[in-house]
Amino acid sequence: MNDVDKVLVVGGGIGGLSAAIAFASHGREVELLEKRPDFNVPGVGLGQPACALRVYRRLGVLEEILDTGFSYNHMSTFDPDRVLIVEHRFLMGGMGLPAFCALPRAVLHDILRRRAQALGVRFRMGAEVSTFGGEHGTSIRFSDGAQAEYDLVAGFDGIRSTARRYIVGDMFGPRHCGIGAWRVQVDRPDCVTGMEFMQGVRGKAGAIPITRDKMYLFNIRPEDPSEFFAADAMHLLMKERLAQFGSYVKEIADSLTPESPIVYGALEPFIVPYPWHRGRVVMGGDAAHVVPPHLTAGAAMAVEDAYVLARCVTSGEGSIQDRLHAYGETRFARNAFVYTFACEWMDIEQSVRSQAELTAAKAEYARNLDGRISAADRILDAFTC
Ligand SMILES: Cc1cc2nc3c(=O)[nH]c(=O)nc-3n(C[C@H](O)[C@H](O)[C@H](O)COP(=O)(O)OP(=O)(O)OC[C@H]3O[C@@H](n4cnc5c(N)ncnc54)[C@H](O)[C@@H]3O)c2cc1C
């Protein structure tokens, strides 16, 4: 049964672009609505685990991603002076896929946008949904005054989603958890060949290579939710926060200037219990769940959501309500795992508040970290498409 011909995807992030490609690949007529006037996306880099790479293969963009990005198969955990505590070989990928491939966010956007365009997706830029009307919520009035009817509206409009508000109201949504992430793109030292973390006191630093020449350096630490960081002081604030770390982190901290491309974001995790739809308006990606970045899998989950949504909806099995329910049920379970694991990991690392606790954490990591991440690898890698 084909009861969904015309799809509106709200949001042109990684999730929305993937949803647009997935529906268009199933022969649906797709329009993508993005509130930004262009695709000049802020952000730094994204590590994409093998489960997302498998979806990218289905979407027809894997080769370009692998050619452009930096692939890695291991993760190392160090002390603040970059003395190794434990190395972990990811149990993901295989059959031509690395465990991870990371690339600049803007580059990934560009690859997906071009693929969507090639499949005939129409872009409506610089506008938002003003009202979800009609019996199914799919009679849309846009902020630029236009109106249109769709068979399905897929809300991938990020953490402050309007689709989520339509579906579940204001009950569920982002809350600052008292932790913030500082990131800056810099030249990659030769020694950084995979993802790495340096556990410190009150926070960790780390790096992810995103091209042959570049990586991003990050610092995840407690931050006051009411704090405002002035743009011209960001380099001094980041340098101050990195003071406990040695090795290349110290060199980078010393080299930061007012021109350094520093990005700060508060962590605001949440997950909405399913169902993730109301009528024929459905959501996915950060609209439905936001996870701490510890498994580097938030965008990966958005991409999986997009693929599974298009597969469920176009399968034609059962009523459209049954199909949307099945989508939410399947995706909630997987995202709840990622959410719980990432929140626990963040709590463990952020609870190190003294040198004595750092010594204890190092011993615990040496004993258990490899096994803990292996368990997550197996579950993340189990996604088939
Ligand atoms: C510090 C940090 C590091 C991270 N690292 C990784 C990583 O390495 N790997 C990984 O997989 N994930 C990572 N993530 C998570 C990842 O960034 C997000 O999960 C991912 O971007 C979500 O994609 P999305 O398309 O759902 O939402 P978004 O990327 O937020 O896209 C939403 C889009 O919708 C648009 N929009 C918003 N509201 C409207 C509206 N009303 N109407 C129309 N358009 C609208 C926005 O402009 C935006 O373009 C990280 C997150 C953080 C905070």
Side-chain angles (χ1 to χ4, degrees):
M1 186 199 327
N2 178 13
D3 47 11
V4 175
D5 275 330
K6 200 174 165 196
V7 179
L8 176 69
V9 175
V10 184
I14 306 295
L17 286 165
S18 299
I21 296 169
F23 277 108
S25 302
H26 284 284
R28 292 342 190 236
E29 182 188 338
V30 183
E31 195 171 322
L32 184 140
L33 175 73
E34 167 55 49
K35 75 172 179 186
R36 291 177 197 280
D38 53 44
F39 277 100
N40 251 340
V41 286
V44 189
L46 286 170
Q48 294 295 268
C51 52
L53 299 177
R54 286 195 191 97
V55 178
Y56 290 134
R57 178 154 56 201
R58 290 284 186 177
L59 301 183
V61 290
L62 176 65
E63 241 170 71
E64 206 177 340
I65 286 174
L66 293 181
D67 285 350
T68 319
F70 188 102
S71 296
Y72 51 90
N73 291 303
H74 71 281
M75 174 191 111
S76 310
T77 302
F78 300 95
D79 79 356
D81 288 318
R82 204 168 178 271
V83 175
L84 185 66
I85 302 170
V86 58
E87 181 169 292
H88 170 69
R89 293 260 141 206
F90 289 111
L91 305 179
M92 292 195 280
M95 313 275 280
L97 286 184
F100 275 89
C101 182
L103 63 176
R105 184 183 284 264
V107 173
L108 182 53
H109 264 247
D110 195 51
I111 293 171
L112 293 170
R113 181 189 53 75
R114 281 187 282 105
R115 177 69 178 148
Q117 254 161 356
L119 288 168
V121 171
R122 279 184 293 122
F123 290 83
R124 186 189 284 264
M125 305 297 293
E128 299 181 43
V129 173
S130 293
T131 50
F132 297 86
E135 189 189 347
H136 306 296
T138 49
S139 298
I140 300 299
R141 186 185 292 272
F142 295 99
S143 55
D144 58 11
Q147 289 185 46
E149 298 281 335
Y150 300 89
D151 299 320
L152 184 81
V153 176
F156 281 82
D157 49 346
I159 188 165
R160 288 172 228 292
S161 165
T162 50
R164 182 181 65 240
R165 206 166 306 124
Y166 174 76
I167 296 167
V168 291
D170 291 327
M171 201 62 184
F172 303 97
R175 283 178 303 275
H176 195 311
C177 68
I179 311 290
W182 295 77
R183 287 173 288 170
V184 63
Q185 184 173 311
V186 291
D187 290 341
R188 180 178 69 85
D190 289 342
C191 62
V192 178
T193 55
M195 179 152 63
E196 52 181 75
F197 302 128
M198 287 176 221
Q199 176 68 54
V201 174
R202 296 180 70 82
K204 76 174 177 193
I208 296 187
I210 50 175
T211 68
R212 250 182 288 282
D213 308 324
K214 299 284 177 191
M215 68 172 196
Y216 79 79
L217 175 73
F218 60 84
N219 179 212
I220 299 179
R221 64 184 311 282
E223 293 293 357
D224 185 340
S226 62
E227 197 80 59
F228 167 77
F229 303 117
D232 59 357
M234 294 293 271
H235 63 298
L236 300 174
L237 294 168
M238 190 164 183
K239 181 176 170 173
E240 192 179 290
R241 282 158 170 72
L242 292 172
Q244 67 175 306
F245 299 101
S247 183
Y248 65 81
V249 180
K250 177 169 169 35
E251 286 164 31
I252 292 167
D254 288 343
S255 72
L256 294 175
T257 69
E259 283 70 46
S260 300
I262 296 170
V263 177
Y264 171 75
L267 302 187
E268 304 174 288
F270 71 93
I271 184 163
V272 180
Y274 71 98
W276 286 354
H277 72 284
R278 173 178 163 199
R280 285 178 173 231
V281 180
V282 60
M283 63 182 167
D286 275 15
H289 46 77
V290 170
V291 295
H294 292 63
L295 282 169
T296 56
M301 290 304 109
V303 170
E304 286 187 9
D305 287 353
Y307 178 82
V308 174
L309 176 63
R311 190 174 62 187
C312 283
V313 167
T314 59
S315 74
E317 290 159 17
S319 72
I320 182 67
Q321 292 305 308
D322 287 347
R323 279 173 267 152
L324 292 175
H325 192 87
Y327 156 74
E329 189 175 35
T330 312
R331 295 308 302 161
F332 174 78
R334 187 153 166 88
N335 278 289
F337 165 75
V338 173
Y339 173 83
T340 310
F341 196 100
C343 286
E344 285 296 325
W345 189 348
M346 180 171 73
D347 280 353
I348 291 169
E349 100 203 348
Q350 297 296 324
S351 65
V352 175
R353 298 289 170 95
S354 66
Q355 285 300 331
E357 286 177 359
L358 180 57
T359 303
K362 286 196 300 194
E364 199 281 334
Y365 291 174
R367 265 196 318 273
N368 298 324
L369 194 77
D370 188 45
R372 211 155 48 227
I373 307 301
S374 296
D377 289 350
R378 289 198 177 88
I379 291 174
L380 274 184
D381 204 45
F383 180 78
T384 48
C385 62

